[in-house]
Amino acid sequence: MATDITHEVSVIEGKPTLKEIDATIIKPMDEMPNIKFFIAIGFTTTLLLIGVFSLGMAFYRGVGLWGVNNPVGWGFAIINFVFWVGIGHAGTLISAILFLFRQKWRTGIARFAEGMTIFAVMTAGLFPLIHVGRPWLDGYLMPHPNQHNLWVNFTSPLLWDVFAVSTYFTVSFVFWYMGLVPDFATMRDRLKNSTVVSKVKKTIYSVLSLGWRFSNRHWSHYEMMYLVLAGFATPLVLSVHTIVSFDFAVSIVPGWHTTIFPPYFVAGAVFSGFAMVQNALIIIRKVFNMEHIVTLDTLEKMNKVIIVTGMMVGYAYGMEFFIAWYSGHEVESFAFLNRAFGPYTWAYWIMVSCNVIFPQFFWIKKLRRNIPFMFVIAILVNVGMWFERFVITVTSLSRDYLPSSWAYYVPTIWDIGLLIGSFGFFFTLLLLFTRTMPVISIAEVKSVVAGSQPTRHKLGHHEEDEHNG
Amino acid sequence: MDNKILHSVTAIFHTPDDIINAAKAVVKEGYKKFDVHTPYPVHGMDQAMKLKRSPLGYFAFVLGVLGATLGLLLMYWTMTIDYPLNIGGKPTFPLPAFIPVTFEITVLLASVATVVAMIVIFFKFPNNSHPLHDTEYMKRVSSDKYGVTIEAADPNFDLEKVKAFLAKLGGTNVEPIYFDNDEINAKRTLLEPKFLTGLAVISVLVIAITYFTLNKLMFLEPFNWMMNQQKITAMEVTTFFDDGFSMRPPIEGTVARGFKPYPYKDSVDLASRFLVNPMEFSTENLENGKRKYNTFCSPCHDYHGNGVARLNGQFPNPPSLHTDKVREWTDGHLYHIITVGQNTMPSYDKQLTQDEKWQVILYVRALQRALNAQEGDLQ
């Protein structure tokens, strides 16, 4: 049966009026949070405090508290860094790449995913700053004229990281904020100047909205700006994890020195990012009654992205082994056999089962649309992706060229405290975000709701373009 | 009402179709200074209003090129000109290694500057004092309605005609919008006391923060136990040991690494009888002996051992090394003299190691042989 492709399928369930959309999305900002919210934020801030304490100890006593030593000099700090940067990638993919592909289903989740990007990159950015052990020297990461006539080494992948992550954060932040401007204006105009609280709120929203007037002369520039930013963010997001993978691939450690790393890392990043967005959205849509905006169809589409990227990652795992064998290089072959069957075999098989095997359940439509099931799978995917970074970093280092210096890396309690703290940091920011800003783009959702665009537009859009353009 | 200045006339429309039609009609009527306000971008509105394509894309292109150039120049200047580093013998202008940072700076500058250009140049934002702000009209178009405004500044503007025109198009709530008199009449001069006080407070704060950052914060030692460790240095007085010296004398009979004790200090006879030169007669040993001889011996003994000092009589001249007496002394005898000294010649034990003394002796022998060559030497 031929499907009518000239009509866009509505991504919003039912037919809410524009006022109802305002009310639904702005509701969390209008009400006092309930006890559940306080329990949740109490939990996340506890995690955060564990992290703060571990961090304070690491600064006070030195990074010797961590499990890193010869030969495994890269431990949890870089694992967590790569993990969190990867989480961020889903946001930009949803907001920029899916925007360029005109995927309307992204509207319901784009804002939230962008917010997650920012918080994830902030979390990730902590680790490079922490791992130097003397945080007051972090300023030298950025090139600036100084008395020591000291410049950074622009040929080092670690410095490329500094530029990639800071650019990524800035551009994501600008993208996110520009999306928020019309929504702040809507929130500003809903408030009545009756109480002190609403006056304060109004002032804040007025400042943040920059004085947005919903003028179509502005929308015209605004849409062009959005297109340009999406066009920049797309190669940017691919470059960021490519550069992160260069940290490994540019070195000559067996198991790291492979050309498959950039695409493999990017696929893995999108994979874990989607799983994290999935997890958080399932909770958010339930708590804030937004099931009709973040629909089951959207979640199903995300599951499809998860299975695709999961298989890309699985392909990379297989291809690494093939190339190791095909190269005929003794050390390279050993590195991969050691990965799968060496002392870290437990970590390797956790990774493979979580990343490649479990997502295969999503081939079954019933499971793909089963919310508790997809929640569990998404958590497992994140576990798997964390272990992927662990496996890559630790197995290659723990058994390198010199057998006499082989050692088994064990993280200490301070390493684990920092990992827990990073989750606390991320989720605390996320919870505050849900209470202070619209987690779903009001203007974008309005523009895709049924009946929001001119009827004539649907029928004779292209002819009209030719006449007027 | 009379003394208020008219900004525009507004009308509300209820469906996207209506607003598109209204925009087209307004354009057709010949109004130039008008605007359409919608809570979200309505498709086809740019064509209906006959707006030109936004030139922001060109901004982004130019700024991107600028970013790429500046990024490359920065790296070229720091890595190639100002402080070239030799990293594994690689070139000081490695273009492939510069590509990632160039790309990032391009994207950073292009995207941030495009947004700033849009906000500041195209929108003239932030601006929270536009006459439309805080009106009933704005509250509606920011939520669920669509609106048209025709500004009083338009050359074709006529209040009654415009009102009738908008009502005819199907617009409801046709209302005039006025400038806020307080806004217009408010005089903001540079010498306003409030402004000056604010400026002064900000200046003081900036100065204080800058001073604190540059003079205190930068020199803060968060933890100084690596810098100031509990230890005593070699020449310090200490109460830890009874004799007050921080440096400990070695245990009796300790011998330094590579040092052989000299047991013949008191007897030149024993030395000349038992000591044998352990050094080979090789070029390397002679070269080293020559160097040490020229440094330590030649000031008095002369470069050739003639006993003609370069000291201009400030120290008594030694006898020549080429006399029969000296030539017949054994190596052990010479070694003893170098080690403990003889007559006015002091000990050279501290200046020369044991091996070097033997090398000097080899060289002295060579000098003696040179002045008293025998026929066999020529072979």
Side-chain angles (χ1 to χ4, degrees):
Chain A
M1 201 182 83
T3 325
D4 183 7
I5 51 164
T6 55
H7 282 237
E8 279 162 1
V9 182
S10 175
V11 291
I12 308 299
E13 272 173 18
K15 204 182 165 186
T17 64
L18 302 183
K19 271 220 176 324
E20 280 167 9
I21 293 174
D22 280 353
T24 313
I25 297 175
I26 299 177
K27 200 169 159 226
M29 274 75 73
D30 284 349
E31 292 174 342
M32 266 303 274
N34 57 15
I35 186 80
K36 277 186 204 155
F37 177 80
F38 286 109
I39 292 172
I41 203 156
F43 178 66
T44 59
T45 42
T46 310
L47 299 187
L48 177 60
L49 282 177
I50 293 173
V52 169
F53 181 67
S54 309
L55 186 61
M57 285 304 282
F59 285 159
Y60 190 67
R61 304 303 315 178
V63 292
L65 286 181
W66 299 345
V68 284
N69 206 332
N70 273 335
V72 184
W74 277 10
F76 266 38
I78 193 149
I79 297 169
N80 296 343
F81 166 71
V82 179
F83 175 75
W84 282 112
V85 170
I87 295 289
H89 278 45
T92 320
L93 186 103
I94 291 168
S95 61
I97 299 183
L98 295 186
F99 175 79
L100 293 182
F101 284 134
R102 300 284 186 268
Q103 296 294 307
K104 297 268 173 177
W105 58 272
R106 66 179 271 288
T107 47
I109 54 174
R111 166 73 47 73
F112 186 74
E114 284 165 27
M116 270 187 50
T117 295
I118 290 161
F119 304 138
V121 174
M122 282 164 77
T123 317
L126 288 178
F127 289 97
L129 300 181
I130 291 169
H131 92 290
V132 296
R134 299 182 182 188
W136 53 95
L137 299 178
D138 285 339
Y140 288 106
L141 286 173
M142 274 293 169
H144 62 275
N146 55 64
Q147 284 176 318
H148 316 294
N149 203 5
L150 190 67
W151 291 107
V152 291
N153 176 8
F154 282 108
T155 59
S156 159
L158 299 175
L159 185 87
W160 302 345
D161 259 1
V162 174
F163 276 85
V165 173
S166 54
T167 301
Y168 186 42
F169 175 77
T170 315
V171 173
S172 303
F173 183 82
V174 168
F175 207 25
W176 181 66
Y177 177 65
M178 288 322 293
L180 275 166
V181 164
D183 291 358
F184 281 134
T186 301
M187 288 158 74
R188 168 197 71 197
D189 287 340
R190 274 168 59 88
L191 288 165
K192 293 173 182 62
N193 266 337
S194 49
T195 60
V196 180
V197 175
S198 69
K199 267 182 190 162
V200 170
K201 274 173 121 176
K202 187 157 189 152
T203 310
I204 294 172
Y205 292 147
S206 297
V207 170
L208 289 176
S209 72
L210 301 171
W212 182 259
R213 296 196 295 276
F214 298 94
S215 155
N216 194 62
R217 289 176 195 276
H218 291 174
W219 279 123
S220 166
H221 290 302
Y222 180 90
E223 287 198 297
M224 176 57 80
M225 176 277 303
Y226 213 78
L227 188 66
V228 167
L229 275 198
F232 278 124
T234 301
L236 178 66
V237 69
L238 299 181
S239 85
V240 171
H241 229 59
T242 298
I243 288 175
V244 168
S245 79
F246 282 166
D247 290 351
F248 300 92
V250 171
S251 72
I252 50 165
V253 175
W256 289 2
H257 191 61
T258 54
T259 48
I260 202 174
F261 260 32
Y264 159 36
F265 268 52
V266 172
V270 173
F271 182 51
S272 64
F274 262 76
M276 189 65 98
V277 175
Q278 180 84 287
N279 271 346
L281 271 178
I282 287 171
I283 297 171
I284 296 277
R285 71 197 281 273
K286 189 85 198 156
V287 172
F288 295 133
N289 298 324
M290 290 169 178
E291 277 112 329
H292 58 299
I293 295 175
V294 182
T295 61
L296 192 57
D297 288 341
T298 305
L299 294 178
E300 189 192 348
K301 285 187 179 101
M302 293 179 69
N303 287 337
K304 287 178 183 168
V305 176
I306 287 178
I307 190 170
V308 168
T309 47
M311 277 159 54
M312 284 158 88
V313 170
Y315 169 80
Y317 296 160
M319 190 45 81
E320 279 185 327
F321 273 87
F322 172 74
I323 291 293
W325 167 77
Y326 188 66
S327 70
H329 194 283
E330 207 179 318
V331 179
E332 191 75 12
S333 313
F334 168 77
F336 284 97
L337 284 179
N338 175 51
R339 215 172 251 186
F341 305 110
Y344 289 102
T345 177
W346 55 274
Y348 184 83
W349 293 104
I350 288 178
M351 165 186 105
V352 169
S353 46
C354 287
N355 290 351
V356 186
I357 299 171
F358 294 144
Q360 302 304 324
F361 285 115
F362 282 155
W363 287 106
I364 303 161
K365 186 160 185 171
K366 239 188 183 148
L367 295 178
R368 203 160 65 218
R369 294 180 71 89
N370 182 335
I371 288 176
F373 184 78
M374 69 171 88
F375 188 76
V376 172
I377 292 287
I379 288 179
L380 287 176
V381 164
N382 270 317
V383 171
M385 281 310 292
W386 190 88
F387 271 101
E388 181 194 298
R389 280 66 180 248
F390 179 85
V391 165
I392 290 172
T393 309
V394 174
T395 55
S396 285
L397 285 174
S398 74
R399 294 197 159 182
D400 57 359
Y401 296 105
L402 199 61
S404 63
S405 59
W406 288 358
Y408 191 78
Y409 166 78
V410 184
T412 62
I413 192 162
W414 305 107
D415 283 315
I416 293 164
L418 267 179
L419 175 64
I420 292 172
S422 71
F423 277 92
F425 183 69
F426 176 76
F427 283 110
T428 306
L429 287 174
L430 211 58
L431 282 173
L432 292 176
F433 169 52
T434 61
R435 280 287 161 196
T436 48
M437 292 167 208
V439 289
I440 289 168
S441 173
I442 302 172
E444 273 191 39
V445 166
K446 279 179 185 168
S447 74
V448 295
V449 82
S452 68
Q453 296 296 352
T455 47
R456 194 175 332 181
H457 171 67
K458 282 179 190 164
L459 300 174
H461 175 50
H462 296 292
E463 293 161 37
E464 215 166 289
D465 266 0
E466 278 159 30
H467 287 310
N468 294 320
Chain B
M1 187 98 181
D2 298 322
N3 52 4
K4 277 190 173 176
I5 304 167
L6 188 67
H7 172 262
S8 56
V9 175
T10 62
I12 294 285
F13 293 83
H14 298 271
T15 69
D17 285 340
D18 288 351
I19 191 70
I20 290 270
N21 289 336
K24 281 181 182 162
V26 172
V27 173
K28 217 171 181 181
E29 197 71 12
Y31 291 110
K32 295 269 178 273
K33 297 213 169 208
F34 73 101
D35 208 345
V36 173
H37 296 90
T38 53
Y40 53 86
V42 172
H43 293 183
M45 184 56 85
D46 294 353
Q47 288 90 337
M49 284 174 73
K50 297 217 185 299
L51 291 183
K52 284 198 199 102
R53 199 180 150 84
S54 167
L56 271 173
Y58 301 104
F59 261 79
F61 176 75
V62 172
L63 290 161
V65 171
L66 186 72
T69 318
L70 287 179
L72 262 182
L73 277 178
L74 169 74
M75 285 184 282
Y76 169 70
W77 190 77
T78 55
M79 298 279 295
T80 313
I81 306 286
D82 188 44
Y83 206 131
L85 278 177
N86 186 343
I87 301 163
K90 288 173 191 146
T92 52
F93 186 71
L95 192 59
F98 285 171
I99 286 174
V101 174
T102 310
F103 174 77
E104 301 299 334
I105 297 179
T106 307
V107 168
L108 181 69
L109 203 69
S111 39
V112 172
T114 306
V115 169
V116 171
M118 180 187 79
I119 291 173
V120 177
I121 299 173
F122 288 89
F123 295 176
K124 303 208 168 35
F125 277 176
N127 173 9
N128 272 309
S129 56
H130 193 273
L132 283 176
H133 279 137
D134 251 339
T135 57
E136 211 41 51
Y137 172 76
M138 184 51 55
K139 281 181 185 165
R140 283 163 157 258
V141 298
S142 75
S143 174
D144 61 341
K145 298 291 185 239
Y146 315 87
V148 169
T149 63
I150 297 178
E151 288 175 30
D154 192 282
N156 296 341
F157 187 84
D158 179 281
L159 182 59
E160 294 312 317
K161 248 169 77 183
V162 167
K163 272 185 177 171
F165 172 65
L166 287 175
K168 204 186 86 194
L169 285 177
T172 56
N173 305 66
V174 180
E175 275 165 11
I177 301 281
Y178 296 96
F179 281 104
D180 190 343
N181 276 347
D182 295 344
E183 291 270 358
I184 291 179
N185 298 332
K187 280 185 190 137
R188 290 190 181 78
T189 55
L190 270 180
L191 295 175
E192 207 173 338
K194 248 191 203 166
F195 175 72
L196 287 182
T197 323
L199 208 62
V201 169
I202 290 171
S203 319
V204 169
L205 272 178
V206 167
I207 290 168
I209 291 170
T210 313
Y211 177 83
F212 177 74
T213 311
L214 293 181
N215 292 295
K216 300 282 173 239
L217 198 66
M218 297 294 277
F219 297 97
L220 217 58
E221 283 178 23
F223 327 108
N224 60 359
W225 57 58
M226 286 172 101
M227 201 87 81
N228 307 326
Q229 297 175 8
Q230 276 199 319
K231 64 173 183 194
I232 38 178
T233 50
M235 299 300 168
E236 260 177 303
V237 179
T238 177
T239 51
F240 189 78
F241 297 109
D242 288 339
D243 58 2
F245 289 106
S246 62
M247 204 153 65
R248 297 286 82 206
I251 297 164
E252 197 117 350
T254 307
V255 175
R257 196 179 259 266
F259 174 83
K260 280 176 233 128
Y262 185 61
Y264 311 121
K265 249 184 184 143
D266 305 327
S267 168
V268 67
D269 290 344
L270 286 176
S272 63
R273 197 181 315 158
F274 292 117
L275 284 177
V276 180
N277 193 342
M279 286 289 145
E280 272 179 47
F281 208 82
S282 68
T283 322
E284 200 185 318
N285 285 337
L286 276 174
E287 287 282 339
N288 201 31
K290 181 184 179 184
R291 209 166 60 238
K292 294 293 167 188
Y293 177 88
N294 287 349
T295 307
F296 295 110
C297 314
S298 74
C300 300
H301 286 284
D302 183 30
Y303 288 114
H304 306 295
N306 292 325
V308 186
R310 298 200 299 277
L311 301 175
N312 299 328
Q314 291 177 25
F315 199 77
N317 272 5
S320 166
L321 293 177
H322 299 292
T323 57
D324 287 351
K325 185 177 93 179
V326 179
R327 269 167 47 210
E328 276 159 24
W329 279 346
T330 62
D331 286 355
H333 194 127
L334 290 177
Y335 186 88
H336 181 87
I337 293 170
I338 296 173
T339 309
V340 300
Q342 180 182 311
N343 303 331
T344 49
M345 173 173 164
S347 159
Y348 278 81
D349 199 28
K350 295 284 181 291
Q351 284 90 330
L352 298 167
T353 65
Q354 286 162 335
D355 285 354
E356 282 164 359
K357 284 181 218 160
W358 290 119
Q359 285 164 339
V360 166
I361 291 164
L362 277 186
Y363 183 66
V364 169
R365 290 297 184 216
L367 286 177
Q368 290 171 341
R369 191 75 171 267
L371 278 194
N372 295 281
Q374 288 152 13
E375 284 200 24
D377 294 349
L378 285 174
Q379 289 166 358

